[in-house]
Amino acid sequence: MIQRYENLEAVSQAAAELFAARASVAVRERGRFSVALAGGNTPRRAYELLAQSPLCDAVPWYDVHVFWGDERCVPPDDPRSNYRMAREAFLDRLPLLDWQIHPMRGVGDPDEAAFEYERELRQFFADGKPRFDLVLLGMGDNAHTASLFPGLPVLEERTRWVSSVYIAELQMHRLTLTAPAINQAATIAFLVAGADKAQPLKEVLQGPRDPQRLPAQLVRPADGELLWLVDKTAAARL
Ligand code: 6PG
């Protein structure tokens, strides 16, 4: 379902309210809330809003577990780190204990770090499916999401939950949840804003199915809900 908003601020407010609402229900019904965060720039403001009243008072933080949808293979204090961005935007200002925060390891061997993260997920989701209560995603202007970039072999992955990838155009290794892992979520929400996303968004949502070229099309929840929170500039061609 596509929800159009005036601007990024409104998209961020809606995303933060969605986070708080899903967290309250998950904790009430199952005693915990698991979320996989998006990286990049778009979600930062939503994270900041979650660390401020009134929303920070609406989230049962003591039962929240924070994961990442992808990570750049850089040290945790590197300006490119998605972990660092989330810590600065909200996590460092919240009453979360270390064991509630599950970063992907950005240093060392990427393949080993991917296997390590998959092991951590399989321990956390003991029933065999990575059913995150909420997965937040962004979308690049080439229709990538998480670190599922066009043309990569990982787009064909059907069994693993976490893979390491090499992004040649960025000359960077990354770790990413795979499409099968993302699609097990109860709620998946894309946050998309900016005119540079208008054409890829139109192709992803209204164009022919071509996930090799448009990886965001791989995101189709198995038995959950898919939301697109978009600002009007990104929705301009829909
Ligand atoms: C990352 C993100 C990535 C991001 C898109 C959009 O690690 O970069 O996970 O998938 O969501 O690249 O990035 P912006 O929000 O900065 O446009």
Side-chain angles (χ1 to χ4, degrees):
M1 182 231 296
I2 302 168
Q3 297 172 359
R4 289 171 174 77
Y5 295 92
E6 184 63 25
N7 51 35
L8 176 58
E9 182 67 19
V11 167
S12 306
Q13 183 65 36
E17 288 171 5
L18 174 72
F19 183 113
R22 291 295 183 282
S24 300
V25 168
V27 169
R28 188 169 63 244
E29 292 181 356
R30 290 181 297 282
R32 72 182 191 184
F33 171 65
S34 57
V35 58
L37 299 181
N41 301 311
T42 304
R44 180 192 293 271
R45 181 62 183 145
Y47 300 161
E48 290 171 353
L49 290 169
L50 282 163
Q52 299 168 8
S53 291
L55 284 174
C56 74
D57 310 317
V59 177
W61 293 109
Y62 295 103
D63 295 309
V64 170
H65 284 268
V66 178
F67 297 85
W68 275 260
D70 73 326
E71 186 54 278
R72 293 85 179 276
C73 292
V74 296
D77 57 354
D78 187 297
R80 297 166 294 175
S81 164
N82 288 335
Y83 168 70
R84 174 176 162 176
M85 184 275 271
R87 286 197 59 180
E88 289 175 349
F90 69 145
L91 300 180
D92 282 352
R93 294 202 293 281
L94 297 169
L96 293 166
L97 302 175
D98 284 351
W99 55 276
Q100 293 178 261
I101 301 177
H102 308 263
M104 294 177 166
R105 179 163 55 80
V107 295
D109 180 79
D111 279 340
E112 283 175 18
F115 277 109
E116 201 176 283
Y117 205 68
E118 177 144 348
R119 246 192 330 271
E120 183 165 358
L121 290 180
R122 288 184 183 276
Q123 279 169 358
F124 184 84
F125 293 106
D127 68 352
K129 283 185 181 178
R131 189 162 177 75
F132 288 99
D133 294 300
L134 176 63
V135 173
L136 297 175
L137 294 172
M139 189 188 74
D141 60 9
N142 62 354
H144 82 262
T145 189
S147 285
L148 303 172
F149 277 70
L152 290 182
V154 70
L155 302 184
E156 307 285 337
E157 181 57 54
R158 290 291 172 269
T159 53
R160 288 185 60 182
W161 297 1
V162 185
S163 288
S164 69
V165 295
Y166 180 69
I167 315 296
E169 62 261 40
L170 301 175
Q171 293 187 312
M172 181 189 279
H173 288 276
R174 291 199 176 184
L175 304 178
T176 186
L177 293 185
T178 61
I182 291 169
N183 287 333
Q184 288 302 318
T187 298
I188 303 171
F190 276 95
L191 281 59
V192 185
D196 61 327
K197 308 293 175 75
Q199 183 55 30
L201 188 63
K202 176 182 178 55
E203 293 184 46
V204 165
L205 293 177
Q206 299 176 341
R209 185 156 175 75
D210 183 5
Q212 280 294 324
R213 189 172 65 85
L214 304 165
Q217 288 184 336
L218 289 171
V219 177
R220 302 203 293 190
D223 63 347
E225 67 174 330
L226 175 58
L227 303 173
W228 290 83
L229 311 182
V230 303
D231 78 346
K232 67 181 182 185
T233 54
R237 299 188 185 185
L238 296 183

